[in-house]
């Protein structure tokens, strides 16, 4: 038979475990209380018996056996009578409240005995009580026994034990009730979380766990599950968007590649084209598609992740110096003046590889559109807001103000750039890198128009403070 769910929950099992531990501890405590209480009652009875015995021995020493006999008769009728027995030296009973001594094999040394006494209660029933007594020989040879009924002490100990057992039983019952209540509340909360997980597993991405507002560990767990589901939903949406974007963005380059191959094939077939030149052009176009695919994939991954992977803390001036060493010779070949103003020891946190790619794209664009005799400036500085700024300024044709937001979109190429190679993805990748680092990209006019040059373009890559 399968137990109800509430009795199979971990909190209820823990409750049973704690109750078992409590019952074990309570049993040991009750045993200690019983032993201590019973021992104290026995010691108190023994002290009273010794005191009574000394009193009677003093009477005997002062006035003899007749005085002891008379004292026994008087004391037997007192409010709390002891049990007495006075025997002759040869063992015959002289007087007392019991008929014979409970001490067996008496040798003359003081001896203790525990025995039972018979009595009649208020309802006329015969009852037996435990008793305890001390027997010793008097100086004249007589034997005196003094005992006491221990029934009241035993009843007191029994009442204490019953009260403790009742308390323990009440605590166990309350513990079970509390365990059931706690298990029910925990089970209700956990069932809700399990239901959320099950629904998500069945494809419901928008379902979320209920946060009760109690600010306990279950609310923290529910909030954590919700955060995890939010990130999972964003990640899945990002991957779906990345796949759609890659499929969409590669359609045009692949279509152009196929058209060129088809044209080259028809020309060669008609004897109008050079097969080697057609194959070389096809390879060049294929490399362009692969480069486009790599750029689109990088942008999609960054947008899907939301943040740059593997960020590290580094000096942005060091990265800019490394990039400058690569691009300064290219500028010299094209007769372009290249300068770098790098403020050191600023510190940014980010993915060095992605940031290097972004700077490379900015410098590639600047070199591509800056004519011979122009100039390019690479700067690293801290803005008044505390942000760190990379900027690349050139003296090329620039970008009109109305096109500056559009130019960072994928595959957007302005009219003055149609003659230049490229797919229109450079600034898109830079913008994606900036966004993944919590930064932004700003485009503004360069140094202005000077003769044939200008007005130029200034692209600022802004990163938050580390």
């Amino acid at each position: 038979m399968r137990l109800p769910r509430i009795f199979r929950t971990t909190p209820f099992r823990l409750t049973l475990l704690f109750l078992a531990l409590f019952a074990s501890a309570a049993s040991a405590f009750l045993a200690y209380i019983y032993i201590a209480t019973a021992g104290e009652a026995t010691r108190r009875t023994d002290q009273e018996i010794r005191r009574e015995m000394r009193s009677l021995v003093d009477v005997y020493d002062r006035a003899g056996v007749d005085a002891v006999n008379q004292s026994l008769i008087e004391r037997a009728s007192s409010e709390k009578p002891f049990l007495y027995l006075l025997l002759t030296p040869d063992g015959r009973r002289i007087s007392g409240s019991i008929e014979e001594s409970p001490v067996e094999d008496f040798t003359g040394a003081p001896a203790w005995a525990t025995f039972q006494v018979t009595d009649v209660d208020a309802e006329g029933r015969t009852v037996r009580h435990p008793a305890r007594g001390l027997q010793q020989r008097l100086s004249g040879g007589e034997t005196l026994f003094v005992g006491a009924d221990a029934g009241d002490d035993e009843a007191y100990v029994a009442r204490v034990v019953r009260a403790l057992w009742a308390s323990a039983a009440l605590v166990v019952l309350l513990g079970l009730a509390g365990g059931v209540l706690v298990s029910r509340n925990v089970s209700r909360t956990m069932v809700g979380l399990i239901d959320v997980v099950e629904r998500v597993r069945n494809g419901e991405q928008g379902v979320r766990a209920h946060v009760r507002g109690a600010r306990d560990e279950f609310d923290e767990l529910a909030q954590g599950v919700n955060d995890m589901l939010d990130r999972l939903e964003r990640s899945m949406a990002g991957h779906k968007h990345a796949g759609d974007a890659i499929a969409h963005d590669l359609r045009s380059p692949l279509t152009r590649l196929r058209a060129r191959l088809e044209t080259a094939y028809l020309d060669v077939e008609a004897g109008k084209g050079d097969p080697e030149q057609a194959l070389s052009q096809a390879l060049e176009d294929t490399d362009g598609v692969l480069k486009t695919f790599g750029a689109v994939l990088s942008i999609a991954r960054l947008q899907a992740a939301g943040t740059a992977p593997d960020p590290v803390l580094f000096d942005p001036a060091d990265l800019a110096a490394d990039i400058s060493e690569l691009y300064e010779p290219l500028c010299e070949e094209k007769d372009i003046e290249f300068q770098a103003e790098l403020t050191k020891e600023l510190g940014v946190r980010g993915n060095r590889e992605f940031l290097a790619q972004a700077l490379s794209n900015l410098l590639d664009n600047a070199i591509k559109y800056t004519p011979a005799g122009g100039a390019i400036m690479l700067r690293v500085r801290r803005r008044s807001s505390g942000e760190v700024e990379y900027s690349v300024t050139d003296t090329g044709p620039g970008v009109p103000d109305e096109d500056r937001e559009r130019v960072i979109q994928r595959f957007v190429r302005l009219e003055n750039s149609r003659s230049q190679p490229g797919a229109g993805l450079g600034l898109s990748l830079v913008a994606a890198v900036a966004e993944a680092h919590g930064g932004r990209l700003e485009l503004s006019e360069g140094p202005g128009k000077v003769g044939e040059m200008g007005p130029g373009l200034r692209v600022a890559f802004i990163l938050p403070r580390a």
Side-chain angles (χ1 to χ4, degrees):
M1 179 180 177
R2 189 176 178 85
L3 293 174
R5 181 186 182 91
I6 191 173
F7 297 118
R8 293 183 281 113
T9 60
T10 299
F12 187 79
R13 292 175 179 175
L14 289 176
T15 299
L16 291 182
L17 176 60
F18 288 133
L19 285 177
L21 294 176
F22 170 79
S24 300
S27 299
F29 178 71
L30 288 176
Y32 170 76
I33 291 294
Y34 175 78
I35 293 173
T37 304
E40 180 61 26
T42 301
R43 283 192 295 271
R44 188 173 63 249
T45 300
D46 290 352
Q47 289 176 356
E48 292 177 355
I49 291 174
R50 289 192 184 95
R51 190 181 303 112
E52 185 72 7
M53 177 66 77
R54 285 195 298 268
S55 174
L56 291 174
V57 170
D58 289 343
V59 171
Y60 178 83
D61 291 339
R62 289 196 310 270
V65 67
D66 292 334
V68 171
N69 187 27
Q70 182 62 34
S71 180
L72 292 181
I73 295 173
E74 294 174 354
R75 297 187 183 195
S77 60
S78 63
E79 182 177 353
K80 184 181 180 181
F82 284 87
L83 302 175
Y84 302 106
L85 180 62
L86 181 62
L87 302 175
T88 62
D90 57 0
R92 289 180 292 108
R93 181 176 182 275
I94 299 176
S95 64
S97 55
I98 58 177
E99 296 299 324
E100 59 182 10
S101 172
V103 179
E104 298 179 356
D105 301 326
F106 181 62
T107 60
W112 288 93
T114 300
F115 58 101
Q116 297 283 330
V117 293
T118 304
D119 197 3
V120 180
D121 62 11
E123 298 179 359
R125 294 176 300 183
T126 300
V127 294
R128 296 175 65 83
H129 299 296
R132 184 170 172 77
L134 172 63
Q135 181 171 298
Q136 72 177 60
R137 193 177 300 280
L138 301 177
S139 58
E142 294 84 356
T143 300
L144 178 61
F145 175 86
V146 178
D149 189 342
D152 292 341
D153 292 337
E154 187 178 76
Y156 168 73
V157 172
R159 286 194 300 271
V160 170
V161 172
R162 283 196 299 271
L164 291 175
W165 276 115
S167 300
L170 180 61
V171 169
V172 170
L173 290 177
L174 291 176
L176 285 174
V180 171
L181 181 62
V182 171
S183 299
R184 179 177 299 173
N185 292 335
V186 173
S187 178
R188 186 182 299 115
T189 302
M190 295 306 297
V191 165
L193 291 175
I194 293 172
D195 179 64
V196 168
V197 173
E198 184 66 25
R199 292 171 64 184
V200 170
R201 187 168 59 182
N202 290 333
E204 296 184 44
Q205 300 298 326
V207 66
R208 294 294 182 268
H210 173 64
V211 180
R212 302 172 300 165
R215 297 182 179 180
D216 55 8
E217 62 274 15
F218 294 110
D219 274 1
E220 293 179 3
L221 177 60
Q223 189 62 53
V225 170
N226 290 342
D227 292 343
M228 178 188 67
L229 292 176
D230 288 340
R231 295 185 63 183
L232 179 62
E233 186 175 19
R234 287 195 300 268
S235 177
M236 293 182 67
H239 282 84
K240 182 177 183 299
H241 173 74
D244 293 344
I246 291 173
H248 176 270
D249 293 343
L250 288 181
R251 184 181 295 114
S252 296
L254 288 174
T255 300
R256 288 195 299 269
L257 174 61
R258 187 185 186 284
R260 289 180 179 178
L261 287 175
E262 185 176 5
T263 301
Y265 174 74
L266 293 175
D267 289 344
V268 171
E269 190 178 48
K272 299 179 181 179
D274 183 1
E276 292 184 4
Q277 183 180 359
L279 183 59
S280 176
Q281 183 64 44
L283 290 173
E284 184 178 342
D285 290 343
T286 303
D287 289 339
V289 170
L290 291 175
K291 185 176 180 181
T292 300
F293 177 79
V296 171
L297 185 59
S298 297
I299 295 172
R301 284 177 176 174
L302 283 173
Q303 292 176 340
T307 57
D310 305 322
V312 295
L313 183 65
F314 64 93
D315 189 344
D318 293 341
L319 176 61
D322 293 339
I323 298 297
S324 298
E325 291 181 1
L326 294 176
Y327 282 89
E328 188 170 5
L330 296 178
C331 291
E332 291 179 358
E333 290 179 4
K334 197 175 177 182
D335 192 22
I336 297 174
E337 181 183 357
F338 181 84
Q339 293 183 355
E341 294 181 1
L342 312 178
T343 304
K344 291 186 172 295
E345 299 181 358
L346 295 182
V348 295
R349 182 176 294 278
N351 184 292
R352 188 182 177 95
E353 181 179 349
F354 278 119
L355 292 174
Q357 180 65 50
L359 282 181
S360 298
N361 283 12
L362 293 180
L363 289 172
D364 280 336
N365 280 349
I367 293 173
K368 183 188 301 183
Y369 295 108
T370 300
I376 295 176
M377 171 69 76
L378 172 62
R379 287 189 179 94
V380 177
R381 69 185 183 95
R382 185 183 296 280
R383 298 170 66 121
S384 58
S385 61
E387 297 170 306
V388 174
E389 176 190 279
Y390 287 105
S391 66
V392 175
T393 305
D394 62 54
T395 57
V399 176
D401 187 42
E402 63 273 13
D403 292 327
R404 287 173 188 165
E405 290 186 8
R406 191 170 65 91
V407 77
I408 63 175
Q409 298 175 7
R410 284 179 289 186
F411 297 104
V412 172
R413 304 189 71 195
L414 303 181
E415 289 300 324
N416 59 2
S417 64
R418 295 292 183 184
S419 60
Q420 298 290 343
L425 290 171
L427 289 179
S428 299
L429 179 58
V430 175
V433 172
E435 184 178 352
H437 286 81
R440 64 190 185 278
L441 197 64
E442 293 182 356
L443 276 66
S444 59
E445 188 174 294
K449 195 165 183 64
V450 179
E452 298 284 331
M453 301 288 183
L457 180 67
R458 181 179 184 273
V459 182
F461 186 95
I462 303 166
L463 297 171
R465 67 180 69 186

